[in-house]
mmCIF file of all heavy atoms in Angstrom:
data_model
loop_
_atom_site.group_PDB
_atom_site.id
_atom_site.type_symbol
_atom_site.label_atom_id
_atom_site.label_comp_id
_atom_site.label_asym_id
_atom_site.label_seq_id
_atom_site.Cartn_x
_atom_site.Cartn_y
_atom_site.Cartn_z
ATOM 1 N N ILE A 30 4.435 -2.390 1.529
ATOM 2 C CA ILE A 30 5.135 -1.403 2.184
ATOM 3 C C ILE A 30 4.338 -0.262 2.718
ATOM 4 O O ILE A 30 3.541 0.300 2.002
ATOM 5 C CB ILE A 30 6.252 -0.857 1.187
ATOM 6 C CG1 ILE A 30 7.105 -2.002 0.535
ATOM 7 C CG2 ILE A 30 7.107 0.258 1.846
ATOM 8 C CD1 ILE A 30 8.057 -1.502 -0.446
ATOM 9 N N GLN A 31 4.494 0.021 3.934
ATOM 10 C CA GLN A 31 3.838 1.254 4.555
ATOM 11 C C GLN A 31 4.446 2.474 3.773
ATOM 12 O O GLN A 31 5.674 2.676 3.808
ATOM 13 C CB GLN A 31 4.146 1.333 6.100
ATOM 14 C CG GLN A 31 3.583 2.691 6.680
ATOM 15 C CD GLN A 31 4.237 2.774 8.068
ATOM 16 O OE1 GLN A 31 5.010 1.980 8.620
ATOM 17 N NE2 GLN A 31 3.789 3.793 8.723
ATOM 18 N N PRO A 32 3.612 3.354 3.139
ATOM 19 C CA PRO A 32 4.121 4.371 2.340
ATOM 20 C C PRO A 32 4.553 5.589 3.128
ATOM 21 O O PRO A 32 4.185 5.753 4.314
ATOM 22 C CB PRO A 32 2.891 4.760 1.384
ATOM 23 C CG PRO A 32 1.720 4.481 2.302
ATOM 24 C CD PRO A 32 2.162 3.217 3.152
ATOM 25 N N LYS A 33 5.362 6.473 2.409
ATOM 26 C CA LYS A 33 5.593 7.733 2.971
ATOM 27 C C LYS A 33 4.738 8.849 2.215
ATOM 28 O O LYS A 33 4.644 8.781 0.902
ATOM 29 C CB LYS A 33 7.047 8.104 2.756
ATOM 30 C CG LYS A 33 7.985 7.251 3.616
ATOM 31 C CD LYS A 33 9.383 7.820 3.583
ATOM 32 C CE LYS A 33 10.327 7.062 4.540
ATOM 33 N NZ LYS A 33 11.609 7.648 4.558
ATOM 34 N N ASN A 34 4.143 9.732 3.008
ATOM 35 C CA ASN A 34 3.192 10.659 2.349
ATOM 36 C C ASN A 34 3.604 11.999 2.648
ATOM 37 O O ASN A 34 3.644 12.428 3.910
ATOM 38 C CB ASN A 34 1.765 10.451 2.847
ATOM 39 C CG ASN A 34 1.158 9.189 2.406
ATOM 40 O OD1 ASN A 34 1.498 8.595 1.361
ATOM 41 N ND2 ASN A 34 0.260 8.503 3.202
ATOM 42 N N ASN A 35 4.068 12.851 1.791
ATOM 43 C CA ASN A 35 4.387 14.228 1.900
ATOM 44 C C ASN A 35 5.386 14.420 3.069
ATOM 45 O O ASN A 35 5.312 15.258 3.838
ATOM 46 C CB ASN A 35 3.214 15.062 2.269
ATOM 47 C CG ASN A 35 2.161 15.031 1.054
ATOM 48 O OD1 ASN A 35 2.496 15.084 -0.028
ATOM 49 N ND2 ASN A 35 0.843 14.935 1.496
ATOM 50 N N GLY A 36 6.445 13.495 3.048
ATOM 51 C CA GLY A 36 7.469 13.666 4.035
ATOM 52 C C GLY A 36 7.124 12.773 5.271
ATOM 53 O O GLY A 36 7.986 12.710 6.078
ATOM 54 N N GLY A 37 5.928 12.453 5.495
ATOM 55 C CA GLY A 37 5.481 11.718 6.695
ATOM 56 C C GLY A 37 5.272 10.230 6.238
ATOM 57 O O GLY A 37 5.686 9.856 5.180
ATOM 58 N N HIS A 38 4.644 9.559 7.120
ATOM 59 C CA HIS A 38 4.458 8.186 6.902
ATOM 60 C C HIS A 38 2.890 7.885 6.697
ATOM 61 O O HIS A 38 2.122 8.446 7.504
ATOM 62 C CB HIS A 38 4.943 7.344 7.936
ATOM 63 C CG HIS A 38 6.480 7.116 7.812
ATOM 64 N ND1 HIS A 38 7.227 8.047 8.360
ATOM 65 C CD2 HIS A 38 7.147 6.166 7.246
ATOM 66 C CE1 HIS A 38 8.517 7.793 8.146
ATOM 67 N NE2 HIS A 38 8.550 6.588 7.487
ATOM 68 N N GLY A 39 2.510 7.108 5.684
ATOM 69 C CA GLY A 39 1.099 6.661 5.668
ATOM 70 C C GLY A 39 0.810 5.491 6.571
ATOM 71 O O GLY A 39 1.645 5.060 7.273
ATOM 72 N N SER A 40 -0.417 5.073 6.392
ATOM 73 C CA SER A 40 -0.849 4.026 7.257
ATOM 74 C C SER A 40 -0.393 2.555 6.752
ATOM 75 O O SER A 40 -0.264 2.480 5.618
ATOM 76 C CB SER A 40 -2.374 4.088 7.485
ATOM 77 O OG SER A 40 -2.964 3.807 6.147
ATOM 78 N N LEU A 41 -0.494 1.633 7.646
ATOM 79 C CA LEU A 41 -0.337 0.353 7.200
ATOM 80 C C LEU A 41 -1.492 -0.175 6.238
ATOM 81 O O LEU A 41 -1.247 -0.809 5.172
ATOM 82 C CB LEU A 41 -0.310 -0.753 8.346
ATOM 83 C CG LEU A 41 0.704 -0.507 9.386
ATOM 84 C CD1 LEU A 41 0.725 -1.665 10.499
ATOM 85 C CD2 LEU A 41 2.150 -0.369 8.859
ATOM 86 N N ARG A 42 -2.710 0.322 6.506
ATOM 87 C CA ARG A 42 -3.876 0.063 5.693
ATOM 88 C C ARG A 42 -3.592 0.571 4.203
ATOM 89 O O ARG A 42 -3.952 -0.226 3.231
ATOM 90 C CB ARG A 42 -5.074 0.825 6.275
ATOM 91 C CG ARG A 42 -6.335 0.838 5.332
ATOM 92 C CD ARG A 42 -7.190 -0.382 5.648
ATOM 93 N NE ARG A 42 -6.740 -1.462 4.726
ATOM 94 C CZ ARG A 42 -6.876 -2.747 5.131
ATOM 95 N NH1 ARG A 42 -7.296 -3.050 6.264
ATOM 96 N NH2 ARG A 42 -6.483 -3.703 4.276
ATOM 97 N N SER A 43 -3.118 1.773 4.020
ATOM 98 C CA SER A 43 -2.962 2.227 2.695
ATOM 99 C C SER A 43 -1.886 1.413 1.937
ATOM 100 O O SER A 43 -1.901 1.201 0.702
ATOM 101 C CB SER A 43 -2.522 3.719 2.700
ATOM 102 O OG SER A 43 -1.329 3.919 3.459
ATOM 103 N N GLY A 44 -0.787 1.052 2.719
ATOM 104 C CA GLY A 44 0.192 0.166 1.995
ATOM 105 C C GLY A 44 -0.358 -1.151 1.610
ATOM 106 O O GLY A 44 -0.015 -1.724 0.469
ATOM 107 N N LEU A 45 -1.084 -1.800 2.518
ATOM 108 C CA LEU A 45 -1.602 -3.175 2.287
ATOM 109 C C LEU A 45 -2.703 -3.127 1.001
ATOM 110 O O LEU A 45 -2.659 -3.901 0.146
ATOM 111 C CB LEU A 45 -2.342 -3.739 3.477
ATOM 112 C CG LEU A 45 -2.896 -5.144 3.415
ATOM 113 C CD1 LEU A 45 -1.702 -6.130 2.947
ATOM 114 C CD2 LEU A 45 -3.406 -5.511 4.757
ATOM 115 N N ASP A 46 -3.500 -1.982 1.051
ATOM 116 C CA ASP A 46 -4.434 -1.877 0.011
ATOM 117 C C ASP A 46 -3.773 -1.709 -1.338
ATOM 118 O O ASP A 46 -4.119 -2.238 -2.426
ATOM 119 C CB ASP A 46 -5.391 -0.739 0.246
ATOM 120 C CG ASP A 46 -6.423 -0.884 1.305
ATOM 121 O OD1 ASP A 46 -6.573 -2.172 1.716
ATOM 122 O OD2 ASP A 46 -7.064 -0.024 1.752
ATOM 123 N N ALA A 47 -2.639 -0.954 -1.279
ATOM 124 C CA ALA A 47 -1.843 -0.782 -2.644
ATOM 125 C C ALA A 47 -1.367 -2.073 -3.121
ATOM 126 O O ALA A 47 -1.469 -2.325 -4.414
ATOM 127 C CB ALA A 47 -0.776 0.221 -2.370
ATOM 128 N N TRP A 48 -0.960 -2.983 -2.257
ATOM 129 C CA TRP A 48 -0.365 -4.224 -2.783
ATOM 130 C C TRP A 48 -1.448 -5.205 -3.214
ATOM 131 O O TRP A 48 -1.295 -5.973 -4.122
ATOM 132 C CB TRP A 48 0.562 -4.872 -1.598
ATOM 133 C CG TRP A 48 2.012 -4.805 -2.126
ATOM 134 C CD1 TRP A 48 2.681 -5.703 -2.637
ATOM 135 C CD2 TRP A 48 2.823 -3.577 -2.169
ATOM 136 N NE1 TRP A 48 4.065 -5.311 -2.892
ATOM 137 C CE2 TRP A 48 4.093 -4.054 -2.724
ATOM 138 C CE3 TRP A 48 2.611 -2.302 -1.721
ATOM 139 C CZ2 TRP A 48 5.121 -3.087 -2.862
ATOM 140 C CZ3 TRP A 48 3.669 -1.361 -2.004
ATOM 141 C CH2 TRP A 48 4.856 -1.867 -2.428
ATOM 142 N N HIS A 49 -2.583 -5.204 -2.581
ATOM 143 C CA HIS A 49 -3.753 -5.938 -3.083
ATOM 144 C C HIS A 49 -4.092 -5.564 -4.512
ATOM 145 O O HIS A 49 -4.351 -6.244 -5.327
ATOM 146 C CB HIS A 49 -4.929 -5.720 -2.121
ATOM 147 C CG HIS A 49 -4.916 -6.610 -0.905
ATOM 148 N ND1 HIS A 49 -5.032 -8.018 -1.082
ATOM 149 C CD2 HIS A 49 -4.910 -6.391 0.333
ATOM 150 C CE1 HIS A 49 -5.066 -8.638 0.116
ATOM 151 N NE2 HIS A 49 -4.962 -7.553 1.073
ATOM 152 N N ARG A 50 -4.091 -4.202 -4.758
ATOM 153 C CA ARG A 50 -4.366 -3.605 -6.084
ATOM 154 C C ARG A 50 -3.354 -4.158 -7.154
ATOM 155 O O ARG A 50 -3.620 -4.520 -8.230
ATOM 156 C CB ARG A 50 -4.492 -2.140 -6.101
ATOM 157 C CG ARG A 50 -5.715 -1.568 -5.429
ATOM 158 C CD ARG A 50 -5.869 -0.098 -5.743
ATOM 159 N NE ARG A 50 -4.779 0.678 -5.219
ATOM 160 C CZ ARG A 50 -4.813 1.185 -3.984
ATOM 161 N NH1 ARG A 50 -5.745 1.041 -3.127
ATOM 162 N NH2 ARG A 50 -3.842 1.940 -3.535
ATOM 163 N N LYS A 51 -2.038 -4.138 -6.683
ATOM 164 C CA LYS A 51 -1.018 -4.672 -7.531
ATOM 165 C C LYS A 51 -1.175 -6.161 -8.034
ATOM 166 O O LYS A 51 -0.900 -6.486 -9.134
ATOM 167 C CB LYS A 51 0.365 -4.520 -7.024
ATOM 168 C CG LYS A 51 0.855 -3.025 -6.718
ATOM 169 C CD LYS A 51 2.161 -3.162 -5.888
ATOM 170 C CE LYS A 51 2.653 -1.655 -5.523
ATOM 171 N NZ LYS A 51 3.383 -1.053 -6.597
ATOM 172 N N ALA A 52 -1.715 -6.925 -7.027
ATOM 173 C CA ALA A 52 -1.707 -8.376 -7.228
ATOM 174 C C ALA A 52 -3.045 -8.870 -7.724
ATOM 175 O O ALA A 52 -3.114 -9.873 -8.524
ATOM 176 C CB ALA A 52 -1.367 -9.097 -5.885
ATOM 177 N N GLU A 53 -4.174 -8.284 -7.398
ATOM 178 C CA GLU A 53 -5.381 -8.900 -7.601
ATOM 179 C C GLU A 53 -5.653 -8.999 -9.140
ATOM 180 O O GLU A 53 -5.547 -8.074 -9.905
ATOM 181 C CB GLU A 53 -6.537 -7.959 -7.015
ATOM 182 C CG GLU A 53 -7.962 -8.717 -6.978
ATOM 183 C CD GLU A 53 -8.920 -8.008 -6.226
ATOM 184 O OE1 GLU A 53 -8.582 -6.947 -5.587
ATOM 185 O OE2 GLU A 53 -10.132 -8.448 -6.096
ATOM 186 N N GLY A 54 -6.131 -10.268 -9.513
ATOM 187 C CA GLY A 54 -6.387 -10.444 -10.945
ATOM 188 C C GLY A 54 -5.238 -10.627 -11.835
ATOM 189 O O GLY A 54 -5.378 -10.910 -13.059
ATOM 190 N N LYS A 55 -4.028 -10.607 -11.315
ATOM 191 C CA LYS A 55 -2.838 -10.800 -12.104
ATOM 192 C C LYS A 55 -2.020 -12.068 -11.750
ATOM 193 O O LYS A 55 -1.423 -12.599 -12.783
ATOM 194 C CB LYS A 55 -1.895 -9.552 -11.846
ATOM 195 C CG LYS A 55 -2.386 -8.285 -12.367
ATOM 196 C CD LYS A 55 -1.386 -7.131 -12.094
ATOM 197 C CE LYS A 55 -1.873 -5.681 -12.545
ATOM 198 N NZ LYS A 55 -0.866 -4.707 -12.324
ATOM 199 N N ALA A 56 -2.021 -12.482 -10.644
ATOM 200 C CA ALA A 56 -1.132 -13.542 -10.182
ATOM 201 C C ALA A 56 -1.486 -14.889 -10.820
ATOM 202 O O ALA A 56 -2.574 -15.333 -10.903
ATOM 203 C CB ALA A 56 -1.068 -13.686 -8.633
#
């Protein structure tokens, strides 16, 4: 998910990196 930052929107990059962190080494 592309995040929302301080009322605005974050980048696609930051959202994709967050999901890689959620999954890596767990799946």
